Amino acid sequence: MSVIRLKGQADRRLRAGHQWIYSNEVDTNKTPLKQFTPGDQVVVETAQGKPLGIAMVNPNTLICGRLISRSVDTVMNKSTLVHRLKIALSLREIAYKGPYYRLVFGDSDGLSGLVVDRFADILVVQISTAGMERIKGEIVEALQDVIKPSAILMKNDGKMRQIEGLDSYVEEAFGTVPELVYLQENDVLFQAPVWDGQKTGWFYDHRENRKTMQNYCDGKRVLDVFSYVGGWGVQAAAAGATDVTFIDASESALSHVDANLKLNQYEGGSELMHGDAFEAMQSLIEDKQRFDVVVMDPPAFIARRKDIKAGEGAYHRANQLAMRLVAKGGILVSGSCSMHLETNRLHDIVRSNSRQLERFSQLIYRGTQAPDHPVHPAIEETEYLKALFYRIHNNMGL
């Protein structure tokens, strides 16, 4: 097997538990990266020639290597995939009664570059690295052995694939996958558009935060901003909200919101607002609308480090508009899926808005991602989700 030799001290992060190798950490004089083909599995050595394990490599990317084993005897093949899938499955079966969850969460499950969401007997797979693309056939076979699904969809159209030099495509890898799949979350039913929806069609990561939100919704008016197919708002409706307003830029997504409300036989009031979320919130403010619970769960405004300044500005504006729509004594749920926005920074943004709007806010809950999105303790990039719940009052002179 070919070898990648690291520079001096470049092994520190790997020894501490991280799994990524950056191109500037490789001693390219001794082991030129250009000799490798994207997806190759290679032995990783320290500057002194001591083996650290095996990595999948892509010589054309900043993250040029992803450690898959700390033994030079273990390569990523069907046998390894089956073993790690069984370990991943055991965690999900401990955490959840039903077969609706993220089965594989990349690095956190020892399968960097692979995501698998489960919708009962249907699996939706996302591959984001050249290494995993190389063994796509083995991945499908391993999933068939461990889960025995009726169908598998390859939803390989993520942005990371372009960085890895991979084609974008969505296709059935096994069986027949319907346009819509069904799932259950917190005892609420949903349909999800796996073929043309966002990511895998559904976001399981906020499951526990949505469950907490339900405690505040009985008999209340609720606003779900950036609603997508209604993950938050429909669960608020199921928890007894008298009426729920949904805002999203996608007409298709809002059509699924309507279907999901009907799926749960919701008899309260609902409004679907199609358009830009910022403009829609401003319109509601001008109409003097107020809501007992406002959920602000936007897409990632900060995709890369260079986006931090502009992204924080977007979070500030979004949360300010949302706070203006919270009724006296109501609840603001401020979410973020941007890994580059730290929890304390999001809290600081809400605090700043409170002062500017002369509101008195109380942080009552700090939420993170669900157990099917486990955090690797050495890889901070795997901890990305946050949901902060605040009770909002008038200033009270404080």
Side-chain angles (χ1 to χ4, degrees):
M1 186 173 287
S2 299
V3 172
I4 275 186
R5 181 71 63 89
L6 300 181
K7 295 178 180 178
Q9 305 301 315
D11 59 319
R12 282 185 175 180
R13 203 162 29 78
L14 296 179
R15 291 188 182 281
H18 211 293
Q19 297 168 5
W20 298 356
I21 301 167
Y22 290 91
S23 57
N24 62 0
E25 295 175 326
V26 177
D27 186 339
T28 53
N29 291 322
K30 293 182 178 178
T31 54
L33 284 172
K34 62 182 180 181
Q35 68 179 304
F36 302 110
T37 300
D40 282 352
Q41 297 187 38
V42 304
V43 173
V44 181
E45 293 183 348
T46 66
Q48 293 74 38
K50 183 176 181 180
L52 291 169
I54 294 177
M56 288 177 165
V57 299
N58 188 336
N60 305 318
T61 57
L62 177 62
I63 302 174
C64 69
R66 296 170 186 270
L67 206 65
I68 56 172
S69 172
R70 295 184 184 274
S71 166
V72 294
D73 299 321
T74 303
V75 297
M76 187 62 75
N77 55 21
K78 181 182 173 181
S79 176
T80 303
L81 286 164
V82 167
H83 178 64
R84 294 186 184 179
L85 284 173
K86 286 181 177 179
I87 294 173
L89 177 62
S90 67
L91 168 62
R92 279 68 179 180
E93 289 182 334
I94 291 171
Y96 305 113
K97 294 180 180 179
Y100 309 103
Y101 41 69
R102 174 149 291 183
L103 173 64
V104 175
F105 182 49
D107 295 278
S108 295
D109 287 302
L111 294 167
S112 185
L114 180 65
V115 163
V116 182
D117 277 358
R118 184 176 186 181
F119 304 94
D121 62 345
I122 295 175
L123 303 178
V124 179
V125 177
Q126 286 194 310
I127 293 173
S128 60
T129 63
M132 285 297 176
E133 184 74 12
R134 178 86 72 87
I135 58 170
K136 179 175 65 174
E138 287 92 332
I139 292 172
V140 173
E141 292 176 4
L143 287 170
Q144 289 175 299
D145 285 358
V146 176
I147 305 297
K148 296 178 172 54
S150 64
I152 299 175
L153 180 69
M154 286 286 173
K155 188 72 182 298
N156 289 335
D157 57 355
K159 295 178 181 179
M160 275 296 298
R161 290 182 64 85
Q162 184 177 359
I163 297 173
E164 289 275 323
L166 300 173
D167 293 336
S168 177
Y169 63 90
V170 180
E171 66 182 25
E172 290 163 332
F174 168 72
T176 301
V177 180
E179 181 181 346
L180 300 173
V181 300
Y182 292 87
L183 66 123
Q184 189 172 1
E185 182 179 291
N186 300 326
D187 298 322
V188 182
L189 300 175
F190 290 92
Q191 66 177 39
V194 292
W195 279 89
D196 56 4
Q198 295 180 25
K199 300 295 181 68
T200 63
W202 181 254
F203 297 92
Y204 281 121
D205 51 4
H206 268 304
R207 183 196 312 250
E208 306 302 327
N209 302 322
R210 291 173 181 141
K211 185 177 182 180
T212 298
M213 173 211 61
Q214 289 183 309
N215 297 328
Y216 302 99
C217 295
D218 189 23
K220 306 298 185 181
R221 295 191 72 209
V222 177
L223 174 63
D224 183 358
V225 187
F226 299 103
S227 67
Y228 185 44
V229 298
W232 292 89
V234 174
Q235 292 194 45
T242 56
D243 65 88
V244 186
T245 298
F246 300 84
I247 299 175
D248 201 85
S250 168
E251 281 189 286
S252 175
L254 290 174
S255 71
H256 294 301
V257 169
D258 189 49
N260 285 326
L261 288 170
K262 293 175 180 175
L263 196 61
N264 290 278
Q265 301 179 336
Y266 179 58
E267 297 180 351
S270 63
E271 182 179 359
L272 308 178
M273 297 184 66
H274 172 235
D276 177 82
F278 293 92
E279 294 176 1
M281 284 191 288
Q282 185 61 50
S283 175
L284 289 171
I285 290 169
E286 292 170 359
D287 289 343
K288 301 188 184 305
Q289 295 288 323
R290 296 295 181 271
F291 300 87
D292 302 298
V293 178
V294 176
V295 179
M296 169 58 56
D297 182 26
F301 288 145
I302 308 175
R304 297 159 296 184
R305 288 189 183 277
K306 69 177 185 177
D307 302 325
I308 288 178
K309 184 175 181 180
E312 287 188 352
Y315 280 110
H316 183 91
R317 184 182 171 209
N319 279 278
Q320 184 178 89
L321 291 168
M323 188 177 291
R324 292 173 65 186
L325 288 164
V326 179
K328 181 180 179 180
I331 304 296
L332 170 65
V333 178
S334 181
S336 170
C337 60
S338 295
M339 184 272 292
H340 296 295
L341 182 71
E342 296 181 355
T343 301
N344 287 340
R345 183 61 188 132
L346 178 59
H347 178 58
D348 194 51
I349 287 171
V350 176
R351 176 202 58 76
S352 175
N353 282 323
S354 297
R355 296 304 306 141
Q356 290 181 20
L357 298 175
E358 296 187 341
R359 301 289 196 273
F360 181 75
S361 61
Q362 299 167 297
L363 177 63
I364 58 176
Y365 174 77
R366 288 177 181 259
T368 185
Q369 56 222 55
D372 57 350
H373 291 67
V375 174
H376 190 300
I379 306 177
E380 63 179 10
E381 292 86 354
T382 62
E383 185 173 11
Y384 68 97
L385 198 75
K386 62 278 299 180
L388 304 181
F389 287 46
Y390 298 87
R391 193 177 188 210
I392 307 297
H393 294 271
N394 292 338
N395 198 327
M396 300 187 348
L398 294 173

